[in-house]
Amino acid sequence: MPTHYTKKAFYILALLSIFCILFTACSTGPSTNDSTSATGSTGPIGSGVQGVKVFVEPEAGEQPITSAILGAQKSVWVEMYLLTDRSIIRALEEVAHRKVDVRVMLELHPFGGGANPQRTLDLLKAAGVQAQATNASFALTHEKNMIIDGTTAYIMTSNFTRAALGGSSGGKYGTSNREYDIVDSNAQDVQDIIALFNSDWNHTTAQATNLNLVVSPINSRNTFVTLIEGAHNTLFIAAEEMLDSGVEQALVRAGKRGVHVQVLLPSAKGSSSDSNRQGINAIHQNGIQVKEDPRLYMHAKIIIADGQKAFVGSENISTQSLDKNRELGILVADSSVLNTLQQTFQRDWNESRSV
């Protein structure tokens, strides 16, 4: 090739390179899109489901769960972190005796080791329940989910324990838990939750195309950060843990742009065992209001943004919960459910102590 053509091609390529660099710099500036976070989570999230119900623990007790199980005509499928409540075990055994299709998955290695899930699985199998361990490919299956007759899904913060469902003197730290449990009969949601259950039952890879369902380790982190980044006025958060820097930074950014943020956590058992202390310090020293509830054990996991949309589910604000566990939650926009969540949160907030 002649030399003058070579030089010309070089100059053209150089100009194109400069143009690309300038264009890239311009196109990667701050975004005002609610679905893009400063932490790299860029996926959209759901608008929130309507037509769902919520029951609140410890006030509701175990009756909503036992009644749902005993009323089943075709099937009861459960994917659960802890199942120790005798009333629920008896209800599952009873409907299995009626030839209802009962399937139960339990985490074999729950944190703390107080439960005996293998014994529970053996008891259920003896009663005719199809019972097995959860998929060991996850760090933990921390999900709390029940599907009745293939038509109604229970997406819960509650385990099936006495402390969670009405409480007892033997509950964690001697108190009852605060829990929120969603009842969803929307056909698409239920079918997608059934598909998730089947993938875990069969140890296959799950999909999460329903953006109102919050599934770890698939889309939980993106949903949490995007929900927080999209808030304009208020964020009310009740959580058991504050152990993830990405979410903590999103809360700090929300506070700095003028969002009123309130975070409610469990009262620490003792300062030496307060695993949330580093996370609390990270948000509190940046102006976020934090309280600890001394009355109820704050096992709830909710995020309410602007009173318009809320997350409810099994996900903790922890790196393991968002990135390594199997978890299930849901985004809710139903006004009646939002009112219940906010009213209960504010009552707990008013009865809690600042850190």
Side-chain angles (χ1 to χ4, degrees), residues 53-213:
K53 299 178 181 178
V54 64
F55 58 93
V56 181
E57 300 292 358
E59 291 83 357
E62 62 188 11
Q63 185 273 335
I65 300 298
T66 55
S67 293
I69 294 170
L70 294 172
Q73 300 298 309
K74 298 178 181 179
S75 61
V76 179
W77 292 2
V78 174
E79 186 166 2
M80 187 61 53
Y81 180 60
L82 293 174
L83 169 54
T84 59
D85 185 279
R86 284 299 309 164
S87 296
I88 293 178
I89 293 172
R90 285 193 294 268
L92 291 169
E93 292 171 336
E94 180 177 331
V95 293
H97 289 150
R98 289 198 272 110
K99 305 305 180 184
V100 170
D101 175 18
V102 183
R103 304 184 191 188
V104 174
M105 279 186 282
L106 294 181
E107 169 59 51
L108 282 187
H109 305 287
F111 180 78
N116 189 340
Q118 188 58 61
R119 180 175 179 274
T120 301
L121 290 173
D122 291 342
L123 283 172
L124 293 171
K125 287 178 183 178
V129 175
Q130 298 181 65
Q132 66 182 42
T134 53
N135 189 342
S137 65
F138 303 110
L140 289 172
T141 291
H142 191 249
E143 182 175 335
K144 301 99 166 57
N145 172 42
M146 180 172 71
I147 309 164
I148 301 293
D149 290 338
T151 60
T152 304
Y154 289 68
I155 304 118
M156 299 170 283
T157 75
S158 300
N159 288 298
F160 283 171
T161 66
R162 285 298 305 139
L165 301 174
S168 69
S169 59
K172 195 167 186 178
Y173 305 162
T175 67
S176 302
N177 292 1
R178 171 64 78 216
E179 311 274 8
Y180 298 93
D181 301 327
I182 298 294
V183 185
D184 186 352
S185 297
N186 291 310
Q188 189 60 61
D189 295 344
V190 176
Q191 289 306 307
D192 291 336
I193 292 169
I194 288 172
L196 179 66
F197 182 97
N198 281 327
S199 69
D200 289 350
W201 183 267
N202 296 315
H203 295 193
T204 57
T205 301
Q207 304 297 320
T209 57
N210 184 336
L211 296 182
N212 283 323
L213 298 181

Side-chain angles (χ1 to χ4, degrees), residues 39-55:
T39 62
S41 299
T42 58
I45 65 174
S47 58
V49 298
Q50 301 281 350
V52 294
K53 299 178 181 178
V54 64
F55 58 93

